[in-house]
Amino acid sequence: MSGRTRPRFIGLTGNIACGKSTVGRLLAARGAEYIDADRLTHQLLAAGTPENDGIVARFGSEVRAADGAIDRPRLGSIVFSDSAALKELEAILHPGVRALIRRAMAAATAPIVVVDAIKLFESGLARELDTAWVVTCPRAEQVRRLTADRGLTPEQATMRIDAQGSQEEKVRLANVVIDNGGTLAETERQVDAALATLLGTSHAAP
């Protein structure tokens, strides 16, 4: 990054259905470059990658789709009901994901760069960034969103939520907490205020 001003890196995380992708889109709309760890993970699940082969070796050929890629719903049905299996999957994927994230960070050119990662704290990635933002919402709203928007049963939704780390622990480690349990306008105001603080500019709520 020599010869130009170093970007400010925002680590963005939050548990499932809390709306971190919504906050990510708001930041992108304000000019931030967006690095999505989940999208990078998709690359590692494609046919022909070492991670793909490692997943099949651990979980069986039934998790591989006809095109050779990993069948995410099928794999999810295994790991979200088995915490040990989820940890094994993470051990296969996380080194490659971290390498792709660091490569994207090194190539970033925007003044603000957002690194959206569900395992922001657990992976140690937060220590490499300027600030860590956590998006929260009430548990009941998580369940509602997962059932209404993703077609899960309440039992499946609860299983997905419980498979993730504690929201309270993420909040404890965060520099900024965005409450996304209300309206989009309320979330936008929080994002704008946090951005203004990060950039050292004034912000007046409308």
Side-chain angles (χ1 to χ4, degrees):
M1 297 182 189
S2 60
R4 54 188 169 88
T5 303
R6 177 189 178 277
R8 305 297 298 276
F9 291 101
I10 298 173
L12 180 65
T13 194
N15 282 358
I16 190 168
C18 281
K20 69 182 173 67
S21 60
T22 297
V23 172
R25 285 193 295 270
L26 292 173
L27 288 166
R30 286 152 175 78
E33 189 168 334
Y34 191 57
I35 300 171
D36 185 350
D38 191 53
R39 184 169 297 177
L40 296 177
T41 300
H42 288 193
Q43 297 179 23
L44 302 181
L45 298 177
T49 67
E51 290 81 7
N52 180 302
D53 292 339
I55 289 168
V56 171
R58 166 57 184 86
F59 296 102
S61 59
E62 65 272 14
V63 301
R64 183 175 272 162
D67 63 358
I70 297 298
D71 184 321
R72 286 167 58 90
R74 195 172 300 170
L75 180 62
S77 69
I78 297 171
V79 300
F80 288 118
S81 60
D82 183 339
S83 60
L86 181 59
K87 286 183 171 60
E88 290 181 75
L89 175 63
E90 290 169 350
I92 294 170
L93 289 174
H94 283 179
V97 174
R98 284 196 296 270
L100 290 175
I101 288 172
R102 289 178 179 129
R103 188 180 307 165
M105 287 172 59
T109 58
I112 296 290
V113 179
V114 178
V115 179
D116 178 339
I118 188 66
K119 294 290 186 177
L120 184 71
F121 297 115
E122 297 90 337
S123 68
L125 184 61
R127 294 192 294 270
E128 302 176 30
L129 309 175
D130 295 297
T131 184
W133 293 17
V134 170
V135 184
T136 68
C137 76
R139 181 184 177 91
E141 179 64 10
Q142 288 178 273
V143 173
R144 189 199 67 76
R145 292 173 182 174
L146 287 170
T147 54
D149 301 339
R150 306 195 195 182
L152 300 183
T153 65
E155 293 76 17
Q156 290 171 326
T158 299
M159 188 180 299
R160 295 287 178 103
I161 294 167
D162 289 342
Q164 297 190 320
S166 161
Q167 179 168 268
E168 291 72 20
E169 179 64 10
K170 288 182 172 66
V171 167
R172 187 184 70 80
L173 296 170
N175 301 109
V176 172
V177 178
I178 304 291
D179 179 358
N180 190 43
T183 66
L184 180 60
E186 290 169 340
T187 299
E188 285 189 278
R189 282 194 288 271
Q190 295 173 74
V191 168
D192 287 335
L195 261 184
T197 298
L198 178 64
L199 299 174
T201 59
S202 61
H203 170 74

